[in-house]
Amino acid sequence: MTADALLISLSLILFAVEGLIPPLLLPPGAKVGLANVVTLVALYLLTAVDALIILSVRIFLSGLFAGSPTVILFSVSGGLMSLAAMILLKRTEKFSIVGMSAAGGFFHNLGQICAASLFMSSPKFIFYLPVLGTCGIFVGVLIGLLAAEIVQRLK
């Protein structure tokens, strides 16, 4: 539990630091998601339950710090879909941490688009999936490379 608390704190710090960085050349709605490194590392070094706890608490607290229930709704839908995909891929033992993270990035954006479609009662958001999905895969690879390096050094 102490490890979870420390990793939650670290993920909140990374979330806050990312908020200070000016938007890169990412499309609207896309983020790098530095805090996701912590979730990925927890998934590899701890358990899926620990990763879920860390992700859930970080989403709730960052949503409280950053804004509104809508932010929490989109973060929960993307985060849970992403984590579920990564857990399933990890169980197959056929994917590297980078491959899992790339899939997680895609599924995070898919979850957010599904939430937006339901929240706004419009299926039109699905047309933005090729843009956000591609971006999610790209940043997922970057996050995966960083997480792989951290996992390797901590083992």
Side-chain angles (χ1 to χ4, degrees):
M1 207 53 161
T2 303
D4 287 0
L6 290 170
L7 291 173
I8 290 165
S9 298
L10 179 59
S11 68
L12 287 168
I13 291 166
L14 290 173
F15 172 81
V17 166
E18 185 173 352
L20 299 173
I21 300 170
L24 303 172
L25 299 174
L26 296 176
K31 288 177 37 178
V32 173
L34 287 175
N36 295 322
V37 169
V38 176
T39 305
L40 197 54
V41 169
L43 187 56
Y44 260 80
L45 297 180
L46 301 174
T47 68
V49 172
D50 289 306
L52 177 61
I53 290 167
I54 292 163
L55 173 72
S56 300
V57 173
R58 188 228 338 139
I59 287 171
F60 178 72
L61 291 176
S62 62
L64 286 178
F65 298 150
S68 68
T70 308
V71 169
I72 295 173
L73 169 74
F74 290 134
S75 295
V76 164
S77 9
L80 292 180
M81 190 173 278
S82 172
L83 183 60
M86 291 190 297
I87 289 170
L88 291 173
L89 292 176
K90 186 173 188 283
R91 286 186 180 165
T92 69
E93 298 181 2
K94 295 182 181 184
F95 292 85
S96 69
I97 193 168
V98 176
M100 282 178 30
S101 181
F106 175 83
F107 279 96
H108 183 87
N109 288 324
L110 177 61
Q112 289 188 321
I113 285 177
C114 289
S117 295
L118 291 172
F119 185 72
M120 303 295 233
S121 300
S122 173
K124 293 179 184 177
F125 293 97
I126 197 72
F127 294 112
Y128 199 45
L129 183 59
V131 173
L132 278 186
T134 302
C135 187
I137 292 168
F138 175 74
V139 298
V141 167
L142 297 177
I143 294 297
L145 290 169
L146 181 57
E149 185 66 25
I150 292 168
V151 167
Q152 182 180 349
R153 289 176 186 239
L154 291 176
K155 280 191 171 179

